């Protein structure tokens, strides 16, 4: 961290240029005091109101001017240099916190070029930044010593980290991201290194930073050439992680179309991915995308699918189970357009989980898939219900379309066979135990029908047949996954602990 | 058994190794060189060190002996002596009949494989490169899969640590990647805004990385 220099420096210009935004902030103790007392509770929109001076070099070894407060020996530790309260104003909570933030803002803006895509006016950001900082400061003053302020706005509730104890040039992290020390650190004014105290104990990473170093540690080297061989065996999520490792891998991931010919998107990316991101990923195939599988990607729209189809004429397989924003009508029209654009067309379609499929839709889809007017041949292997019905790509079979007409309700849905030997022996050719899950409830684990037999309902409202339930009771780890409720069934195993986990 | 023909390979550090023809033919590259008539003298392998070649030869020998013993237990189809049989055996495992000998063989092979590939990172990567150069598909697949398993599930920082890779992005480049990250579902303007908001929370770089993965982009 930098030091504070309390010498008299010229007040920053009234209209800071874009380049000099934050470096022109000057902090002077006396004026700060005025500023605070005058504007208690207000947001400070105009930079000119504050006359702050700060040291705008990264040299940690500047001596302090004798503005009051003890002269500390020169050290890297900001706490040694900060005055505790030279004017008896009890402003430790606000002043030091704010100067810390502004120093970091300054360091960031000087160090990092403005983003290409940043369309914010320099002034706006400067003012917004200051507003932001002053609003925080005011909240701080209102609640002195409240260490919890930062925590409140933390979505994950972990606020105990701080800037690393490195050279300041490295201290700001993550691509221009503002990174400031925990305010508690300023409040505490401990003798030891202020960063060490609240370094998170959950420290699976080393102290090596994840932010772009530029001038960094000089650790590490370029990846071995052979690492790129391994990329072929990685899924999308891991490829995206590898992309952020270094330039070589980034280039390998982004520019090798072979890695992107079969894209399968699953948790956790499925929750977050939006149309634009999907297009960016599919474009990496450079027109050679063969299969696209989007499992429960609830943010993808029909327009997104349309754009993917437009740029990937070789697409053969499209699988969109559980993508709730997609409509059957949209799929039909997209496939129609796809076909008429001259592409060979989709040969396999997976839309299980899309609701409202009418017979007309079904007929059109069969036509588009090349099935004409015949039913799909019944030679396909049996499909069993398992884990919510979403088949992983490797378990998928060759049928052109996954949904069919349920023999019982005549709706177009996913239809499951029954793995139970009893059912298979009983029905034989007539296959009575074959229907959608609305008609025949099934165990989520084994897929057996649960008609009159005993079953249990899990926390996630899935059904388990009695034998799967018993198996689950014998296996504590799996109970967590299945959402076993803690309230019942203590009679079975009194020693077994029950956990359940909410799926966010 | 293969003919008694023997070939001599020379590594980049000057050492020579003698191997049988059947073992040599596991490598498509060497096979091609021999067939093109270069087998009479030393076969130079300037890209391969002796340490790595030892491992490669170990693999090739195992491959050949495994193939030989599988011929005995199965119907003895000679049809492919090449590298695909390695892969095919893996695929064929579920369909293998409950022949105790066959099962034992497969089991033993798996164990051998696990031990074989349990090597230092540096050796693994050199082996991977050598397998690529020598065009030994089974070895390439095995080594690449092992390397992939070392990457799977890790954050970028963890990957850097594992392989001692330097983060050589400029801040702008890194920012650009983050912005366009598929996990990032905000528009550029929203992104700027949220970045500032999150600046409020004093994350360390590691936490930031961690939290990004855990859906911290949500606005409260």
């Amino acid at each position: 961290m930098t030091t504070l220099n309390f010498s008299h420096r010229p007040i920053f210009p009234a209209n800071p240029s874009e380049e000099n935004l934050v470096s022109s902030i000057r902090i002077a103790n006396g004026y700060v005091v005025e500023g605070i007392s005058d504007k208690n509770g207000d947001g400070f929109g105009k930079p000119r109101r504050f006359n702050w001076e700060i040291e705008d070099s990264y040299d940690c070894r500047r001596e302090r001017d004798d503005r009051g407060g003890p002269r500390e020996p020169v050290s890297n530790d900001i706490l040694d240099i900060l005055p505790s309260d030279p004017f008896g104003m009890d402003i430790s909570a606000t002043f030091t916190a704010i100067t810390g933030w502004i120093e970091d803002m300054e360091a960031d803006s000087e160090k990092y070029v403005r983003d290409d895509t940043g369309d914010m006016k320099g002034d706006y950001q400067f003012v917004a930044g200051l507003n932001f900082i002053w609003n925080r400061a005011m909240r701080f003053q209102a609640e002195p010593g409240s260490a919890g302020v930062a925590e409140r706005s933390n979505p994950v509730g972990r606020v105990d980290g701080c800037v690393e104890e490195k050279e300041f040039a490295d201290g700001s992290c993550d691509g221009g991201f503002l990174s400031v020390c925990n305010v508690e650190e300023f409040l505490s004014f401990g003798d030891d290194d202020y960063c060490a105290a609240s370094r998170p104990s959950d420290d699976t990473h080393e102290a090596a930073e994840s932010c772009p170093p530029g001038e960094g540690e000089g650790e590490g080297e370029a990846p071995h050439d052979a690492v790129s061989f391994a990329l072929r065996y990685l899924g999308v999520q891991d490829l995206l992680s590898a992309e952020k490792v270094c330039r070589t891998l980034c280039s390998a991931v982004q520019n090798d179309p072979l890695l992107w010919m079969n894209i399968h998107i699953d948790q956790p990316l499925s929750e977050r991915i939006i149309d634009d991101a999907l297009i960016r990923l599919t474009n990496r195939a450079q027109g050679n995308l063969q299969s696209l599988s989007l499992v429960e990607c609830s943010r993808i729209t029909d327009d997104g699918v349309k754009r993917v189809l437009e740029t990937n004429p070789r697409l053969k397989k499209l699988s969109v189970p559980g993508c709730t924003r997609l409509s059957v009508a949209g799929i039909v029209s997209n496939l129609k357009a796809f076909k008429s654009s001259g592409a060979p067309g989709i040969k396999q379609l997976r839309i299980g989980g899309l609701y409202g499929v009418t017979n007309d839709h079904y007929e059109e889809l069969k036509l588009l898939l090349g099935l004409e007017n015949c039913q799909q041949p019944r030679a396909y292997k049996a499909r069993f219900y398992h884990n919510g019905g979403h088949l992983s790509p490797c378990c998928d079979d060759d049928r052109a379309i996954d949904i069919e007409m349920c023999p019982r309700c005549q709706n177009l849905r996913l239809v499951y066979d029954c793995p139970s030997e009893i059912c298979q022996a009983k029905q034989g050719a007539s296959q009575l135990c074959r229907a959608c899950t609305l008609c025949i409830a099934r165990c989520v684990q084994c897929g057996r029908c649960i008609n009159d037999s005993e079953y249990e309902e899990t926390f996630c409202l899935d059904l388990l047949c009695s034998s799967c339930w018993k198996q689950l009771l014998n296996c504590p780890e799996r109970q967590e996954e299945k959402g076993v409720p803690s309230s019942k069934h203590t009679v079975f195993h009194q020693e077994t602990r029950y956990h359940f986990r909410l799926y966010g | 058994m293969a003919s008694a023909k023997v070939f001599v390979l020379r590594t980049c550090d000057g050492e020579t190794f003698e191997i049988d023809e059947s073992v040599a033919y596991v490598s498509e590259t060497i096979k091609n060189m021999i067939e093109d008539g270069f087998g009479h003298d030393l076969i130079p392998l300037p890209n391969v060190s002796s340490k790595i070649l030892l491992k490669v030869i170990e693999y090739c020998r195992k491959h050949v002996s495994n193939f030989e013993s599988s011929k005995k237990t199965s119907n003895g189809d000679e049809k492919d002596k090449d590298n695909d049989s390695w892969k095919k055996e893996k695929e064929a495992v579920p369909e293998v009949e409950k022949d105790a000998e066959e099962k034992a063989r497969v089991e033993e092979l798996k164990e051998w494989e696990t031990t074989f590939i349990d090597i230092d990172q540096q050796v693994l990567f050199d082996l991977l490169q050598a397998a690529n150069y020598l065009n030994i598909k089974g070895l390439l697949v095995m080594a690449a899969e092992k390397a992939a398993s070392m990457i799977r599930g890790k954050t970028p920082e963890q990957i850097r640590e594992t392989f001692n890779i330097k983060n050589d992005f400029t801040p702008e480049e890194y920012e650009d990647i983050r912005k366009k990250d598929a996990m990032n579902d905000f528009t550029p303007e929203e992104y700027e805004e949220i970045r500032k908001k999150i600046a409020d929370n004093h994350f360390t770089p590691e936490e930031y990385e961690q939290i990004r993965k855990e859906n911290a982009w949500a606005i409260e």
Side-chain angles (χ1 to χ4, degrees):
Chain A
M1 289 294 279
T2 58
T3 65
L4 298 175
N5 182 330
F6 304 106
S7 58
H8 289 285
R9 286 284 205 96
I11 295 162
F12 57 82
N15 290 312
S17 72
E18 196 166 331
E19 299 308 308
N20 272 330
L21 295 175
V22 185
S23 61
S24 59
I25 302 171
R26 303 281 181 250
I27 304 166
N29 273 341
Y31 291 120
V32 165
V33 171
E34 254 181 47
I36 290 176
S37 56
D38 280 347
K39 285 291 175 180
N40 200 358
D42 267 343
F44 292 94
K46 298 181 188 156
R48 229 181 308 187
R49 305 224 34 149
F50 325 129
N51 298 322
W52 284 34
E53 279 186 359
I54 56 171
E55 180 57 61
D56 60 351
S57 102
Y58 301 155
D59 187 351
C60 298
R61 282 157 187 75
R62 302 285 283 262
E63 288 195 2
R64 284 173 52 229
D65 206 352
D66 51 344
R67 294 265 304 155
R71 245 197 202 284
E72 306 285 356
V74 169
S75 88
N76 276 335
D77 190 343
I78 189 175
L79 291 180
D80 291 339
I81 297 156
L82 285 174
S84 51
D85 192 0
F87 301 99
M89 292 299 295
D90 191 23
I91 55 167
S92 56
T94 51
F95 176 64
T96 54
I98 294 165
T99 50
W101 289 325
I102 291 198
E103 281 163 21
D104 280 329
M105 253 179 79
E106 172 197 346
D108 272 347
S109 68
E110 283 197 9
K111 185 186 174 202
Y112 302 136
V113 172
R114 183 91 27 221
D115 288 327
D116 316 338
T117 60
D119 50 2
M120 305 222 184
K121 301 281 184 239
D123 287 344
Y124 167 73
Q125 192 184 29
F126 174 73
V127 168
L130 272 185
N131 253 335
F132 156 78
I133 285 173
W134 273 111
N135 287 338
R136 290 277 295 131
M138 287 309 106
R139 285 213 298 280
F140 240 73
Q141 202 191 26
E143 300 151 286
S146 64
V149 174
E151 279 169 356
R152 241 179 274 133
S153 41
N154 181 339
V156 184
R158 287 167 58 201
V159 74
D160 38 339
C162 64
V163 175
E164 295 167 342
E165 58 242 303
K166 292 201 202 305
E167 293 295 329
F168 182 49
D170 292 337
S172 312
C173 69
D174 279 342
F177 198 72
L178 289 181
S179 159
V180 292
C181 245
N182 195 322
V183 174
E184 294 160 354
E185 300 308 313
F186 283 104
L187 293 179
S188 63
F189 287 108
D191 286 335
D192 35 72
D193 187 348
Y194 66 91
C195 274
S198 61
R199 184 159 283 287
S201 56
D202 170 30
D203 210 354
T204 51
H205 314 287
E206 305 273 15
E209 55 186 10
S210 61
C211 55
E215 41 294 301
E217 302 106 88
E219 277 172 19
E221 39 193 50
H224 198 286
D225 290 338
V227 176
S228 35
F229 285 119
L231 297 178
R232 297 276 149 83
Y233 296 82
L234 296 177
V236 171
Q237 196 74 48
D238 293 311
L239 283 175
L240 295 181
S241 297
E243 188 182 346
K244 299 191 192 80
V245 170
C246 65
R247 275 183 177 163
T248 316
L249 285 182
C250 178
S251 164
V253 166
Q254 288 180 352
N255 301 325
D256 184 0
L258 294 179
L259 295 175
W260 300 97
M261 296 208 344
N262 298 289
I263 295 178
H264 172 72
I265 295 184
D266 214 330
Q267 289 278 358
L269 182 55
S270 54
E271 289 171 349
R272 312 210 57 84
I273 191 165
I274 54 174
D275 290 343
D276 284 339
L278 178 63
I279 304 298
R280 275 201 294 271
L281 287 186
T282 53
N283 281 345
R284 289 178 179 181
Q286 295 174 25
N288 296 313
L289 183 66
Q290 287 179 351
S291 80
L292 178 62
S293 166
L294 306 172
V295 179
E296 292 180 340
C297 298
S298 45
R299 293 178 170 200
I300 301 294
T301 67
D302 289 320
D303 184 60
V305 172
K306 172 162 155 254
R307 284 155 68 193
V308 170
L309 291 175
E310 277 166 3
T311 48
N312 292 286
R314 300 211 182 95
L315 189 63
K316 296 261 171 345
K317 178 166 178 184
L318 179 64
S319 172
V320 290
C323 295
T324 47
R325 279 202 197 173
L326 298 184
S327 67
V328 188
I331 300 243
V332 171
S333 85
N334 281 334
L335 291 190
K336 264 198 202 148
F338 188 57
K339 195 108 194 225
S340 55
S341 73
I346 304 282
K347 298 289 176 252
Q348 288 185 38
L349 182 66
R350 301 285 175 266
I351 53 172
L354 293 194
Y355 296 107
V357 186
T358 66
N359 285 325
D360 287 340
H361 288 142
Y362 193 55
E363 294 305 318
E364 286 202 69
L365 285 174
K366 283 201 291 186
L367 249 172
L368 287 165
L369 290 165
L371 282 177
E372 314 240 320
N373 283 326
C374 59
Q375 280 284 338
Q376 290 188 109
R378 288 294 309 128
Y380 293 118
K381 64 184 187 191
R383 173 191 277 141
F384 299 130
Y385 185 62
H386 182 67
N387 279 338
H390 293 309
L391 297 172
S392 53
C394 55
C395 307
D396 203 358
D397 56 20
D398 288 336
R399 59 181 89 190
I401 188 167
D402 54 344
I403 58 172
E404 52 189 292
M405 185 164 291
C406 172
R408 292 204 182 181
C409 61
Q410 310 295 313
N411 281 324
L412 292 157
R413 302 192 73 233
L414 287 169
V415 173
Y416 296 99
D417 297 285
C418 192
S420 148
E421 298 86 5
I422 310 167
C423 286
Q424 284 175 358
K426 243 197 287 186
Q427 277 93 45
S430 57
Q431 294 179 327
L432 285 177
C433 195
R434 192 167 189 279
C436 66
T437 49
L438 291 183
C439 297
I440 299 181
R442 296 197 175 276
C443 171
V444 70
Q445 187 65 25
C446 64
R448 282 198 185 83
C449 53
I450 302 178
N451 288 324
D452 299 319
S453 45
E454 276 188 12
Y455 67 94
E456 301 296 339
E457 197 177 37
T458 69
F459 189 80
C460 307
L461 302 181
D462 290 325
L463 304 183
L464 285 174
C465 66
S466 40
S467 51
C468 288
W469 174 247
K470 288 194 184 97
Q471 262 185 5
L472 203 58
L473 289 181
N474 292 331
C475 181
E477 295 78 34
R478 289 176 63 208
Q479 284 168 18
E480 235 181 88
E481 289 171 13
K482 290 295 176 188
V484 172
S486 58
S487 55
K488 3 186 211 168
H489 309 296
T490 46
V491 293
F492 288 95
H493 281 273
Q494 293 185 0
E495 290 145 7
T496 312
R497 287 181 7 217
Y498 294 85
H499 311 272
F500 61 87
R501 181 193 296 168
L502 284 174
Y503 290 99
Chain B
M1 195 62 190
S3 67
K5 201 142 188 231
V6 153
F7 295 98
V8 181
L9 309 174
R10 191 181 63 199
T11 62
C12 62
D13 45 353
E15 291 208 29
T16 55
F17 296 83
E18 280 189 9
I19 51 173
D20 290 342
E21 183 182 37
S22 59
V23 174
Y25 272 33
V26 176
S27 155
E28 290 286 330
T29 307
I30 297 179
K31 182 174 170 205
N32 291 337
M33 283 165 92
I34 293 172
E35 286 172 349
D36 288 347
F38 294 105
H40 305 295
D41 304 316
L42 293 176
I43 298 175
L45 301 175
N47 297 347
V48 186
S49 71
S50 47
K51 179 178 176 184
I52 299 299
L53 189 59
L54 267 173
K55 278 297 255 190
V56 170
I57 291 175
E58 188 189 338
Y59 171 87
C60 295
R61 288 198 171 124
K62 181 71 181 176
H63 179 94
V64 168
S65 76
N66 182 63
F67 177 72
E68 297 292 331
S69 57
S70 80
K71 270 202 306 184
K72 290 181 193 135
T73 54
S74 72
N75 297 335
D77 21 275
E78 182 99 29
K79 70 175 164 77
D80 63 351
K81 230 174 93 127
D82 65 297
N83 305 315
D84 283 341
S85 70
W86 191 261
K87 190 169 154 209
K88 278 194 183 122
E89 270 162 21
K90 286 178 134 174
E91 291 168 2
V93 160
E95 282 129 51
V96 140
E97 289 191 89
K98 312 283 192 248
D99 185 9
E101 218 178 301
E102 184 66 14
K103 267 182 91 175
R105 183 185 65 81
V106 167
E107 213 34 63
E108 191 267 336
L109 184 63
K110 275 195 200 146
E111 274 182 42
W112 179 90
E113 236 180 73
T114 315
T115 321
F116 177 80
I117 209 69
D118 183 22
I119 47 184
D120 277 349
Q121 233 183 72
Q122 188 60 36
V123 177
L124 175 66
F125 285 128
D126 289 340
L127 191 61
L128 193 38
Q129 257 187 328
N132 181 51
Y133 169 68
L134 293 171
N135 200 349
I136 303 173
K137 198 148 123 198
L139 180 60
L140 185 63
V141 167
M142 199 199 316
E145 175 57 52
K146 173 80 182 182
S149 72
M150 294 162 75
I151 298 175
R152 227 169 257 135
K154 293 195 161 112
T155 66
E157 186 51 36
Q158 287 168 329
I159 296 172
R160 279 188 215 117
E161 278 174 37
T162 306
F163 300 112
N164 193 27
I165 296 175
K166 182 176 162 130
N167 181 346
D168 56 355
F169 288 118
T170 66
E172 301 84 26
E173 286 172 342
Y174 202 65
E175 190 60 27
D176 194 53
I177 291 172
R178 282 189 177 282
K179 235 183 208 178
K180 294 178 180 161
D181 186 16
M183 287 287 278
N184 174 4
D185 52 2
F186 294 106
T187 65
E189 295 76 24
E190 286 171 320
Y191 178 84
E192 289 287 338
E193 231 178 86
I194 290 155
R195 236 192 48 187
K196 281 216 206 72
K197 267 204 167 182
I198 295 184
D200 213 4
N201 292 313
H202 318 307
F203 295 148
T204 63
E206 297 101 317
E207 280 183 301
Y208 178 51
E209 185 72 43
Q210 188 75 26
I211 285 160
R212 273 195 71 252
K213 297 195 82 77
E214 291 167 357
N215 194 26
W217 293 102
I219 307 173
E220 298 290 73

